Amino acid sequence: MTIAYVLPLIGSSRWGSHGQAVSERRRSRASVLIRASAVDDKRTHGDFSLYNTMTGKKEVFDRTVHEDGVVRFYSCGPTVYDSAHVGNFRAFLTYDVLKRWLRYRGFDVSHVMNLTDVDDKIIKRVLREGSTLEEITEKYSKLFFDDLSLLNVIPADKYPRATDHIEDIVDLIEGLKAKGAAYETSGSTYFKVDSFSDYGKLVKLEKRESGARRTEANDTDEYDKSDARDFALWKAYKDEDGEVKWNSALGVGRPGWHIECSCMAIKYLGPQIDIHGGGIDLVFPHHENEIAQSEAYSGKEFARFWVHNGFVNIGGEKMSKSLGNFRTLGDVVKKPDDARAFRYLVVSSQYRSTLNFTEDVLKAARNTIKRLDSLRKRLADVQKEERTVDMQASSEIESIVDTAKSAFVAAMNDDLNTPRAVAALFEMMSKVGKLLKAEKLDSAHAKMVDDCIVDFDRVLGVFYEVPTVGNVSDEDGTDGGDQVIPEALQELLLQRTEARKSKDFSLADQIRDQIAAEGYQIKDSPNGAVLIKI
Ligand SMILES: [Zn+2]
């Protein structure tokens, strides 16, 4: 069954609530009696330089746009029509590290990430599978959040969905029309690029050039536009959209993708934000269009910093859905420690460089995690012993820890140079390893070293208990090793679990036989039923 989406015509504007996520955050914090000061601790941490795509150079992030000291941070979220791939997770992990580093420095961060839950690709899938928009987007949103928790990503303050904000989007488009920055033709509404003189300032393209590139990326049916560079804010309903449509003041149709991000950022963070993040492939046209929409609407600079992460390559090519060379997190993470290894692999590479993903680099990351765990275990063992060291050894250890700390902070301050930051950690580990071997580390200093590792981990986030979600199991033999269980069988397994829950045992047995016919056996594990190849 499919559902038609019908909204009443827009009445009064509800755009008085700009920066909602920030004000909610303030309210919740106000109830805390002892409030941590939300200011950057420059005195102990030095200057933090961050590469700004807008200016093409590293700039000091020394203040927030608003006086409250809250960093307003927006990053583009996933389109929830399929499992996100390893390349997508690089973006989510990059912005997790950035957020952690800002917090480490004492900033309060308000982070919003949208979920695109209406778009051409989703509609195609809805029609192909004969399901509803909700069924598809709910399934993949859940998978997305499971994957984020597997990777120890600090959740954003808000994950607004496009379909929950149609009225806000329509209001914003109406606002742009009123300012002469948008026009309607044949039921669609377009942004009038010519009305925004700064268009192209992020990607630094000449008008002619951006027009040419935009035309390439265009939908072929957008022939009614008055300028090839103009882009859709509201797309008129077409038969191919099936039941996915809204009846609004702009006519029957659905919102475009670019307007969604401007809307969510303005609604939840306000018209002026500190940092906007996304993959490097989003610079043009997506982010350029976000700037045009947001700044034409508010008349103010939208984002102070534009931060972009590099691609993930596989076999020398960019990993992407369209090339079909992608790996989902489920393909890579089979055991809990794989999740930590994957996180380590991504966060220890410099976010702007290309990450070459191979089985070997993942294996190396697994070994690194093992080494780190074993060192921490040895440190924990020493802490239980009653051992003291002489003054000379004591000052040597203190100096090792101090050196590591300042090297770590200096590296992170240099545009999140995580390769150098983890090098500082390993240098400390290697020196401490020697001291451990020579029994020159006492319990107090073992604690000091471990506290330092924990402190670095506030940024790296690699020491955590991996939650049991999805197909990840820590039981040898029950996770199917490296075998990939076909998605259709996973679906059947879910149906069988549902059937058993509703006590329809004959259906459950039928499904079990169907799965067995495909060569798999169902085995119960503490994390629920799993499939084992017979
Ligand atoms: Zn976006």
Side-chain angles (χ1 to χ4, degrees), residues 267-287:
K267 178 167 175 109
Y268 292 105
L269 296 170
Q272 290 194 284
I273 63 173
D274 294 279
I275 304 173
H276 192 306
I280 189 77
D281 50 336
L282 296 184
V283 173
F284 189 86
H286 184 54
H287 290 163

Side-chain angles (χ1 to χ4, degrees), residues 72-89:
R72 286 156 174 80
F73 175 35
Y74 184 88
S75 59
C76 298
T79 301
V80 281
Y81 75 108
D82 208 344
S83 304
H85 64 69
V86 162
N88 304 132
F89 282 106

Side-chain angles (χ1 to χ4, degrees), residues 10-186:
I10 302 303
S12 61
S13 169
R14 291 168 299 101
W15 280 78
S17 55
H18 291 170
Q20 201 177 309
V22 178
S23 49
E24 275 175 21
R25 199 176 172 79
R26 275 199 217 113
R27 269 201 301 279
S28 69
R29 290 174 63 90
S31 61
V32 181
L33 287 177
I34 303 164
R35 193 182 147 173
S37 137
V39 289
D40 185 25
D41 195 350
K42 226 197 296 198
R43 202 166 30 84
T44 50
H45 294 132
D47 282 336
F48 169 37
S49 295
L50 183 62
Y51 185 85
N52 187 353
T53 310
M54 184 60 87
T55 57
K57 58 183 188 217
K58 290 179 196 173
E59 286 178 66
V60 177
F61 190 94
D62 53 354
R63 62 183 168 86
T64 54
V65 170
H66 298 266
E67 280 178 1
D68 58 9
V70 177
V71 177
R72 286 156 174 80
F73 175 35
Y74 184 88
S75 59
C76 298
T79 301
V80 281
Y81 75 108
D82 208 344
S83 304
H85 64 69
V86 162
N88 304 132
F89 282 106
R90 185 175 196 199
F92 308 132
L93 286 170
T94 294
Y95 301 112
D96 185 54
V97 169
L98 172 57
K99 192 158 81 176
R100 284 166 178 266
W101 181 240
L102 289 164
R103 283 183 171 186
Y104 186 100
R105 293 186 57 102
F107 281 115
D108 196 355
V109 182
S110 186
H111 179 205
V112 173
M113 182 195 278
N114 68 314
L115 295 187
T116 298
D117 62 352
V118 56
D119 139 287
D120 291 344
K121 289 181 289 245
I122 303 177
I123 293 170
K124 273 189 195 136
R125 186 149 192 164
V126 166
L127 295 180
R128 197 174 70 226
E129 297 191 2
S131 42
T132 66
L133 193 73
E134 281 94 346
E135 281 165 356
I136 298 283
T137 59
E138 271 311 308
K139 177 178 170 185
Y140 290 104
S141 305
K142 188 187 174 305
L143 258 177
F144 172 67
F145 289 124
D146 281 354
D147 285 349
L148 288 189
S149 69
L150 269 179
L151 296 176
N152 199 25
V153 170
I154 297 173
D157 296 273
K158 285 268 177 200
Y159 290 103
R161 291 159 195 252
T163 59
D164 290 336
H165 294 81
I166 301 294
E167 289 182 59
D168 294 316
I169 292 171
V170 170
D171 278 2
L172 178 54
I173 299 173
E174 291 279 29
L176 287 170
K177 273 172 88 175
K179 286 168 198 276
Y183 62 93
E184 186 265 327
T185 174
S186 305

Side-chain angles (χ1 to χ4, degrees), residues 180-201:
Y183 62 93
E184 186 265 327
T185 174
S186 305
S188 289
T189 305
Y190 295 97
F191 186 88
K192 192 174 166 49
V193 169
D194 206 31
S195 70
F196 186 68
S197 59
D198 276 347
Y199 193 80
K201 69 176 172 179

